[in-house]
Amino acid sequence: MVIVLPYKHLSAVSLHILASLQFVTPESVGIVSSTMTSVSLSPAAILGIVMVMVGCTSNVVFLEHLVRYNNGVGGLVTFGQFLLISIEGFIFAVDFGRKKSAIPIKEYAIMVTLFFTVSIVNNFGFYFDIPMPLHMIFRAGSLIANMILGVIILKKQYPISKYLSVFMISVGIFICTLLSANQATSDVSEDSVSSPKYLSMLGGICLLTFALFVSARMGIYQEVLYSEYGKHPREALFYSHALPLGGFLLVGKDIYNNALLLSQSEPVTLFDGVDVPEMWLHFLGNIVTQYVCIRGVFILTTECPSLIVTLVVTLRKFVSLIFSILYFKNPFTPGHWLGTFLVFSGVLLFTETFQNIANALFPSRRATGEKLTGTLSNGEHSKVGSAPLQQKEATGKKLD
């Protein structure tokens, strides 16, 4: 069956869309276009949707199993994910090293350093008693950091709706963080200020905030890099995972110690009496589903309109959150639900998902809006509805 939907040319997949991957940024995949046409959901697109929903959601489940067993496993998990993606990329992306990179290797140095830092800091955040639901909600706030740095560094201008969406996300994260901190302290001590768990969570939140801004800075660097050399996400995915492998020597002792802890978990009998530590199975499941998740996202960005990509990945995040709350019995109060609603509504508002749905349901209204917009001058239009990357493409200028 072929489903025909209104189509907006492939857009950049925002950092919040791939928060679990921490790699693809709005500038690394494509440019938002205002032209509307139609596209069919091909079998490949349907496969991509299934891969994202199954791969990304199960990836979070495996990770929470690991973190609940040992909250210091983040470094080991990151290393495993980097290694698997590097091996796959070496075979298929660069053809065993025979394919020359489109972007000079030296240009990847800054991006690789930033990406490695973000990945390590995010996963080491589990050391600091950050509940998994809060971790997922907090990282959805990457839009905030991305927008702030975009205004400061790239001098971007955003419509009021963008600032409103960022405000909603900020308030939602603040509510969830405050409630989670209160829960953590109530379980440990009546004096929340002196509670060790409170201080630990505060340290973890500082780490996650730092990672959000470093990730946003990486996105800006990618935007500049791709404006000069073009977009090569498959290649960039490989080099961003392969080049930092040596950096794991800095945390090699931690990785080794946590590997020993996984080996001490309860054995599970597979076949013919072969016993494997249970946590190693979760580890394997995590790195494999991480790859499935990444491949699914890449399929979506090439096969589906941006509206579908945003809806699928936002839905995936919500499903992961619900599953974590119900299956792992993580505490979640009505206040948490309010914060979650604000965060996800803000994300959908920022990506213009509501507007796109309205355009899909009421094409006559969209046509009227386009006619009115077309009467504006180029300067006015760029301030009202044109993304910064569209301006860059139209003028043919490179960003400084």
Side-chain angles (χ1 to χ4, degrees):
M1 179 179 66
V2 177
I3 306 173
V4 179
L5 295 168
Y7 173 56
K8 207 178 200 177
H9 284 300
L10 291 181
S11 73
V13 179
S14 303
L15 283 172
H16 69 279
I17 290 181
L18 297 180
S20 61
L21 310 181
Q22 309 152 29
F23 173 66
V24 182
T25 66
E27 296 76 22
S28 65
V29 179
I31 309 299
V32 178
S33 169
S34 60
T35 304
M36 298 290 292
T37 179
S38 61
V39 68
S40 299
L41 284 184
S42 64
I46 296 175
L47 174 63
I49 293 174
V50 173
M51 290 175 69
V52 168
M53 294 301 297
V54 176
C56 300
T57 303
S58 57
N59 176 262
V60 176
V61 174
F62 285 123
L63 179 61
E64 186 156 2
H65 273 295
L66 290 167
V67 171
R68 281 173 171 265
Y69 177 78
N70 171 26
N71 62 2
V73 76
L76 176 61
V77 170
T78 305
F79 173 71
Q81 293 174 351
F82 272 52
L83 183 61
L84 178 62
I85 294 173
S86 297
I87 293 174
E88 188 274 342
F90 182 72
I91 297 173
F92 298 104
V94 298
D95 192 21
F96 295 95
R98 291 192 291 264
K99 183 179 180 181
K100 185 178 179 180
S101 63
I103 301 176
I105 300 298
K106 65 179 181 179
E107 299 290 351
Y108 280 117
I110 297 178
M111 186 177 73
V112 164
T113 301
L114 294 174
F115 179 52
F116 178 75
T117 301
V118 170
S119 301
I120 289 295
V121 170
N122 267 325
N123 281 331
F124 269 92
F126 290 116
Y127 265 124
F128 296 87
D129 300 306
I130 300 292
M132 182 65 75
L134 178 60
H135 195 272
M136 287 186 282
I137 293 171
F138 199 91
R139 286 170 60 183
S142 56
L143 277 176
I144 302 173
N146 200 34
M147 187 173 179
I148 292 175
L149 293 187
V151 171
I152 295 175
I153 298 177
L154 297 180
K155 310 301 181 184
K156 291 184 177 182
Q157 295 182 356
Y158 297 93
I160 296 299
S161 62
K162 303 294 185 185
Y163 292 102
L164 175 61
S165 65
V166 166
F167 176 76
M168 292 171 61
I169 295 171
S170 302
V171 172
I173 290 176
F174 176 78
I175 292 174
C176 291
T177 302
L178 185 64
L179 291 174
S180 296
N182 289 337
Q183 285 180 342
T185 56
S186 64
D187 293 339
V188 180
S189 170
E190 293 182 0
D191 184 5
S192 62
V193 176
S194 61
S195 169
K197 194 167 185 179
Y198 176 87
L199 296 177
S200 176
M201 179 177 289
L202 181 62
I205 290 172
C206 290
L207 275 181
L208 292 181
T209 302
F210 171 74
L212 286 183
F213 279 92
V214 174
S215 181
R217 184 62 185 89
M218 180 185 71
I220 292 175
Y221 180 76
Q222 281 181 296
E223 179 176 346
V224 177
L225 193 65
Y226 287 176
S227 70
E228 181 173 354
Y229 296 100
K231 294 179 291 295
H232 306 278
R234 242 346 232 115
E235 172 189 296
L237 183 67
F238 165 70
Y239 284 111
S240 64
H241 285 79
L243 295 180
L245 286 177
F248 284 99
L249 292 175
L250 299 175
V251 290
K253 185 176 180 180
D254 177 83
I255 291 175
Y256 175 75
N257 290 335
N258 282 285
L260 292 180
L261 288 176
L262 294 191
S263 299
Q264 296 171 9
S265 60
E266 290 293 326
V268 175
T269 301
L270 297 181
F271 52 86
D272 294 334
V274 177
D275 292 334
V276 178
E278 180 183 1
M279 289 301 117
W280 277 112
L281 295 179
H282 288 304
F283 173 81
L284 179 62
N286 177 270
I287 63 174
V288 171
T289 52
Q290 175 77 349
Y291 170 73
V292 173
C293 179
I294 289 177
R295 292 300 300 147
V297 171
F298 271 100
I299 291 175
L300 280 184
T301 56
T302 55
E303 297 286 339
C304 293
S306 58
L307 171 61
I308 301 299
V309 176
T310 303
L311 286 174
V312 169
V313 182
T314 303
L315 177 61
R316 192 282 303 169
K317 286 186 177 183
F318 188 73
V319 170
S320 296
L321 180 64
I322 298 300
F323 194 90
S324 177
I325 295 168
L326 298 179
Y327 181 77
F328 292 101
K329 294 181 172 58
N330 285 306
F332 218 71
T333 66
H336 282 98
W337 284 114
L338 174 61
T340 301
F341 172 78
L342 289 174
V343 170
F344 281 96
S345 296
V347 167
L348 294 175
L349 178 62
F350 190 95
T351 55
E352 301 180 358
T353 301
F354 296 127
Q355 179 182 343
N356 291 336
I357 292 176
N359 290 340
L361 296 177
F362 306 103
S364 58
R365 181 184 300 176
R366 172 182 58 79
T368 303
E370 288 180 348
K371 184 176 180 181
L372 291 174
T373 303
T375 63
L376 297 175
S377 66
N378 291 334
E380 291 172 326
H381 184 270
S382 65
K383 291 180 181 179
V384 175
S386 178
L389 283 177
Q390 287 177 279
Q391 300 171 20
K392 181 185 68 181
E393 285 254 309
T395 59
K397 295 179 181 177
K398 288 192 229 177
L399 293 171
D400 294 330

